[in-house]
Amino acid sequence: QVRNNIKDLVSNGVIDGELAKQWKKSMDAKEKVETTKKRVEHGDVDAMLDLGKWYRHGKFGLTKSDEESYKWYKQAADLKDTRGMASAGWCLVLGVGVEKNVSHGMVLVASAAERGSDCACDILGWWYLGGKHGLPRDKKEAMRLLRRATDGSCSMQHLPKEGLEMAKANLEALEANE
């Protein structure tokens, strides 16, 4: 009741200013999350991935939670979504929001890379370069994967812009040292 009254007062301009803007922003974020959760109920993997990202980074009024983030990534991965597989696999390998399970995580990330995920190729490229998580240190394989992640040849391009730029810059540096 009170919320609806405030909403009407803000909507009609009776209450304005910075507090009204903040209140409206908060209500818009809450509505966005509620709408997204309804989409999840209908099996929308994009909504699952959005919730995973939002919980991971504490967006739209959600409390940052690696556990909730993993839960949503896993739900998308369970539906064989390539992006969900890459994200859930990364969480499993590093133990982010879930008990660490390197073997299962590697299977998911490698499967996502095979299915065309630029993000998974980027992840594996770095792990090969550093010889991490049971992978051999293999600069050529790392460069092949990083090249694939950055050259636009992956069918599923979901690597964030800043990650793509970083991968390109580092790949150029690796190639310059060949």
Side-chain angles (χ1 to χ4, degrees), residues 25-92:
K25 185 178 178 181
S26 172
M27 290 300 104
D28 289 347
K30 184 175 182 172
E31 184 177 325
K32 184 174 186 127
V33 170
E34 288 172 5
T35 301
T36 303
K37 286 184 177 181
K38 285 178 184 166
R39 289 175 34 219
V40 166
E41 293 171 11
H42 298 287
D44 185 332
V45 293
D46 289 329
M48 293 169 199
L49 295 168
D50 284 343
L51 286 171
K53 284 185 278 189
W54 298 346
Y55 274 109
R56 176 101 175 93
H57 301 288
K59 301 278 185 173
F60 300 107
L62 296 173
T63 302
K64 186 177 177 179
S65 169
D66 290 338
E67 291 78 13
E68 280 293 310
S69 179
Y70 171 74
K71 176 181 110 175
W72 294 110
Y73 291 150
K74 182 185 182 309
Q75 194 167 340
D78 288 347
L79 294 172
K80 303 299 181 222
D81 180 82
T82 303
R83 299 161 299 171
M85 292 167 73
S87 298
W90 177 85
C91 289
L92 282 161

